[in-house]
Amino acid sequence: MDRVVLCMKWGTLYGPDYVNVLYNAVRAHLPGPFRFVCLTDDATGIDPGVECFPVPDFGLRPDLWQIGGWPKIGVFQRDLYGLRGRALFIDLDMMILSDLTPFFDHPAPFIATDMGANWKPRAGKGPEEPGTCLFAFTLGAEPQIFERFNEDRNGHAHRFGLEQNCVAAFAHSVTCWPADWVISFKRHLRPPALLGAVLPVRRPPASAKVLAFHGRPRPLDLIRKGWWGELPNIGRGPVGWMRDYWLRYGGN
């Protein structure tokens, strides 16, 4: 089965560097053939090796382009630009740490990241809360997500609050990645509240395959001088291992 890595860039929050760094990091960590596809409203500055298509426009209210990730619902259309095979969707603010092959080899039909209470070091096992920062599915196999959402776009957006809650509710079934595959910068590596002024950021453990930067800070915040974050969760940059990663994979 063909392998497709998907990402999305709309608006101005993330520049083309985020796409290019992710593309180069995936190339370094995914042996064998694959297609790298970016759905975007502006392909300026994106590496020519990236296949760019427009972000699907399916009638979202303008404000829903500004909160959460509602445009992601578009990837579940029956026909997404003729793409076929197994897709791995990766948010732009993710850091690739090791081989991505296991994400494609996992047998679950639809598998996502547990971003709930379990997504903490030494967390007790509770109900899974699938999130869409990194998920895998077979292209065209979950069209009911797109179609059910579009039956009542505004109503579903109001009821679910975040697109990942809608995806989890409408998918045929959802499994989550093993807990140590995708970790959170804020929950696993950032110093405790108020201690970021004196304690360094921890390095990702060897067991982690992907590091997620959900919300603030974002990767670029960590490669600049000065404070990042919001009180009481602050830190000071630059963080050496983040800066090295960004430059190694083509960021400015």
Side-chain angles (χ1 to χ4, degrees):
M1 182 179 289
D2 292 340
R3 300 185 299 175
V4 179
V5 177
L6 285 175
C7 68
M8 231 182 223
K9 183 182 83 71
W10 72 90
T12 58
L13 182 60
Y14 297 105
D17 265 11
Y18 273 97
V19 179
N20 297 338
V21 168
L22 180 61
Y23 169 59
N24 288 320
V26 169
R27 288 176 62 199
H29 292 95
L30 184 57
F34 65 92
R35 297 174 69 177
F36 191 99
V37 173
C38 180
L39 305 176
T40 183
D41 60 357
D42 183 2
T44 304
I46 294 178
D47 191 290
V50 176
E51 298 180 61
C52 292
F53 297 96
V55 179
D57 185 352
F58 49 98
L60 286 175
R61 297 193 321 255
D63 61 297
L64 293 182
W65 287 84
Q66 308 301 320
I67 56 173
W70 289 105
K72 293 181 188 178
I73 297 289
V75 306
F76 298 108
Q77 296 178 80
R78 290 181 182 273
D79 184 1
L80 182 66
Y81 298 112
L83 297 169
R84 294 290 182 267
R86 189 69 172 166
L88 179 67
F89 185 101
I90 309 177
D91 273 351
L92 293 179
D93 53 356
M94 308 287 273
M95 182 179 182
I96 310 303
L97 302 172
S98 68
D99 185 13
L100 293 175
T101 304
F103 290 95
F104 283 97
D105 290 345
H106 198 288
F110 190 110
I111 184 161
T113 304
D114 186 354
M115 299 177 69
N118 298 327
W119 210 27
K120 297 177 181 178
R122 299 173 296 280
K125 185 64 175 176
E128 293 180 337
E129 297 181 30
T132 59
C133 66
L134 191 149
F135 62 94
F137 69 109
T138 299
L139 288 154
E142 299 278 351
Q144 78 286 348
I145 297 175
F146 178 77
E147 291 163 3
R148 290 186 62 185
F149 175 77
N150 275 288
E151 291 171 357
D152 184 11
R153 286 188 293 269
N154 294 338
H156 289 320
H158 176 74
R159 280 188 289 274
F160 288 108
L162 294 172
E163 98 291 337
Q164 61 192 31
N165 299 331
C166 182
V167 170
F170 291 166
H172 290 307
S173 65
V174 183
T175 303
C176 289
W177 307 113
D180 59 348
W181 282 21
V182 184
I183 65 170
S184 159
F185 172 80
K186 290 195 291 188
R187 299 186 184 184
H188 293 84
L189 305 183
R190 184 178 63 186
L194 297 176
L195 295 181
V198 293
L199 294 180
V201 171
R202 293 186 289 275
R203 285 182 171 271
S207 60
K209 300 181 183 300
V210 177
L211 177 62
F213 287 83
H214 48 111
R216 296 182 178 177
R218 297 183 173 88
L220 271 178
D221 297 331
L222 269 63
I223 72 171
R224 297 168 175 149
K225 295 180 180 179
W227 296 101
W228 47 257
E230 300 172 335
L231 285 171
N233 297 301
I234 59 172
R236 187 193 294 270
V239 175
W241 53 262
M242 184 70 244
R243 183 178 183 276
D244 292 345
Y245 172 91
W246 192 259
L247 296 177
R248 180 185 316 126
Y249 294 120
N252 293 318

